[in-house]
Amino acid sequence: MGIVISRPGRAERAVSAAPGIRVERLTKRFGAFTAVDDVSFDIPAGELVAMLGPSGGGKSTILRIIAGLEQADGGSVWLDGLGVDHLPPRERRVGFVFQHYALFRHMTVEENIGYALRVRRVGCAERRERVAELVALMGLHGLERRYPSQLSGGQRQRVALARSLAARPRLLLLDEPFAAVDARVREELRHWLRRLHDEVHVTSIFVTHDQEEAFALADRVLLIHDGRLEQDGSPLEILDDPATEFVARFIGDVNVLDGVVRAGEATVGALRVPVARVTAVPPGERVPVRLVIRSYDLKFWRAEDGGVATVRRVITLGDRVRVEAMVDQAGPLFAQFPRRSSLLHGVAPGVRIGIEVTAARAYPLAPGARPAVPVQHREPRRTFA
């Protein structure tokens, strides 16, 4: 169910005047397993932030610690400049929306929305006024007397959101809020949540493993992997300037190839790849690297004089075309183009092609590292190039 916190009652520990959220060196272990590993970040008041990463990476655990539903083994949480580690969940003034709604089945829509207000002993008139306000805000007019079993998935999620906002929380936490609805409803709810946030301006964090969802909705993205914060930045910063090899590989559709770099150029079989910078590589030395190349950072053209690769497949994916090729002495490489792109002229299975890499990220290979494994193709998603 949505957890809504009462007005501050106990003395809270003041540490700063800055509003928003501050998490410092958060750690959580379950036996020998470290679920959250020394995570720190700050979120200014009013931001909508996505916590993105693979399943099982620690995102939901961080959310539950902030809400007070889990006890951290180390680190601290501040809300609006006040330390809240000693406070129980109901005194943190946090709204929590769960993945599977957690609505009370025996209560109507209006009873679910007003539940937290009733628990707080808010007067009937004030409670009815607040419920009516949220019904209008969430587009639930006409559904007030229905039970959860009589609602669609999207309607249930809007009721859960209304309930979490009823007591005017200072922070809204959403744990994969759209995972239980189909793709069409999920898209509608994304647009709706962004509009809602722009209207109510409550500081919000939502957990997701869906990149398109994170990039379409959030002002900032926290990328979590194996319990650690890999990168904190805007969607464009994470896409264009990935901080680690994991981030570069996780975001978008990418090629991963092993090569050798020297003097700003990497060699991968017959392919030559310009590399702007490689961390910790002395100038002039030949150093093994792992290259991450996004599918839209490539140009293919039919080569009349030999080329460096052979086209294996050309696949139409709606408004885009995926071209798979085999690079001489290197291995598979794929690119994606708009369906009517002039770059596709003459490109067909069996054709020899030239290749230009317009951007690549290079990371030094650790001694004994396993060979690069091609990244599996994912369905095309909106990009922010």
Side-chain angles (χ1 to χ4, degrees):
M1 71 180 184
I3 297 171
V4 188
I5 312 311
S6 61
R7 297 184 181 93
R10 300 185 187 182
E12 296 173 320
R13 297 169 189 163
V15 295
S16 155
I21 310 165
R22 183 182 180 193
V23 169
E24 188 171 274
R25 308 204 67 180
L26 213 58
T27 301
K28 177 65 180 179
R29 300 180 186 87
F30 295 99
F33 174 68
T34 301
V36 181
D37 189 3
D38 199 27
V39 169
S40 299
F41 56 83
D42 291 274
I43 298 175
E47 276 201 346
L48 176 59
V49 174
M51 197 173 289
L52 172 68
S55 298
K59 306 181 298 298
S60 294
T61 302
I62 295 171
L63 220 62
R64 291 175 65 84
I65 291 172
I66 293 172
L69 301 176
E70 290 281 359
Q71 185 69 41
D73 294 313
S76 298
V77 176
W78 289 268
L79 301 179
D80 290 340
L82 302 170
V84 297
D85 297 319
H86 64 299
L87 295 180
R90 62 182 179 180
E91 293 187 26
R92 297 192 183 196
R93 295 178 56 213
V94 173
F96 202 111
V97 179
F98 294 93
Q99 177 176 333
H100 294 288
Y101 325 124
L103 299 176
F104 294 114
R105 290 179 293 178
H106 64 286
M107 292 185 183
T108 63
V109 166
E110 60 185 3
E111 288 170 342
N112 265 285
I113 295 173
Y115 175 77
L117 300 175
R118 184 161 61 85
V119 168
R120 292 177 60 194
R121 298 179 182 175
V122 173
C124 288
E126 183 182 347
R127 189 166 70 239
R128 282 196 299 269
E129 182 180 351
R130 180 61 174 158
V131 169
E133 178 185 341
L134 287 167
V135 164
L137 181 65
M138 302 294 176
L140 295 169
H141 182 68
L143 305 177
E144 296 92 334
R145 300 299 176 86
R146 292 192 186 181
Y147 290 91
S149 61
Q150 299 172 311
L151 303 175
S152 68
Q155 289 167 342
R156 291 178 199 171
Q157 194 59 283
R158 280 184 280 156
V159 174
L161 275 163
R163 183 179 58 186
S164 70
L165 291 170
R168 305 183 193 277
R170 59 182 168 188
L171 172 64
L172 180 62
L173 304 176
L174 306 100
D175 192 359
E176 301 212 41
F178 310 133
V181 296
D182 62 40
R184 183 184 61 80
V185 175
R186 188 181 307 126
E187 181 71 18
E188 292 174 359
L189 283 173
R190 287 173 188 165
H191 294 303
W192 177 84
L193 178 60
R194 182 69 239 192
R195 291 196 302 270
L196 174 68
H197 179 268
D198 292 340
E199 186 168 341
V200 300
H201 300 293
V202 63
T203 309
S204 306
I205 305 175
F206 70 95
V207 162
T208 182
H209 60 266
D210 186 312
Q211 298 172 31
E212 180 178 344
E213 188 167 281
F215 285 5
L217 281 175
D219 303 310
R220 280 171 55 205
V221 176
L222 306 176
L223 211 157
I224 306 292
H225 174 54
D226 285 346
R228 294 184 295 273
L229 178 60
E230 294 275 345
Q231 190 165 355
D232 173 359
S234 70
L236 283 175
E237 287 170 343
I238 288 177
L239 188 67
D240 292 340
D241 194 16
T244 66
E245 180 186 339
F246 169 78
V247 177
R249 295 183 66 155
F250 182 73
I251 299 297
D253 290 317
V254 298
N255 298 276
V256 182
L257 303 168
D258 290 346
V260 177
V261 70
R262 182 179 183 181
E265 184 178 74
T267 301
V268 186
L271 188 64
R272 301 295 178 265
V273 181
V275 177
R277 66 181 187 277
V278 186
T279 306
V281 173
E285 289 194 17
R286 290 174 56 84
V287 177
V289 294
R290 178 152 293 160
L291 295 170
V292 180
I293 305 169
R294 302 206 185 281
S295 62
Y296 56 80
D297 287 330
L298 289 156
K299 293 181 180 179
F300 288 0
W301 65 90
R302 182 168 185 152
E304 305 297 339
D305 54 353
V308 298
T310 302
V311 175
R312 295 301 190 201
R313 297 178 70 197
V314 178
I315 308 164
T316 301
L317 301 168
D319 61 349
R320 302 189 68 78
V321 173
R322 172 183 167 102
V323 181
E324 298 177 355
M326 188 67 65
V327 178
D328 298 347
Q329 301 122 42
L333 186 76
F334 77 93
Q336 294 194 69
F337 307 95
R339 192 160 64 92
R340 302 191 188 283
S341 171
S342 60
L343 294 173
L344 292 170
H345 181 70
V347 173
V351 166
R352 294 288 293 173
I353 58 171
I355 298 175
E356 179 187 350
V357 180
T358 58
R361 284 83 182 168
Y363 302 89
L365 272 178
R370 294 181 179 180
V373 177
V375 175
Q376 294 297 313
H377 171 58
R378 293 187 283 260
E379 287 302 310
R381 60 175 59 85
R382 185 183 306 121
T383 57
F384 294 76

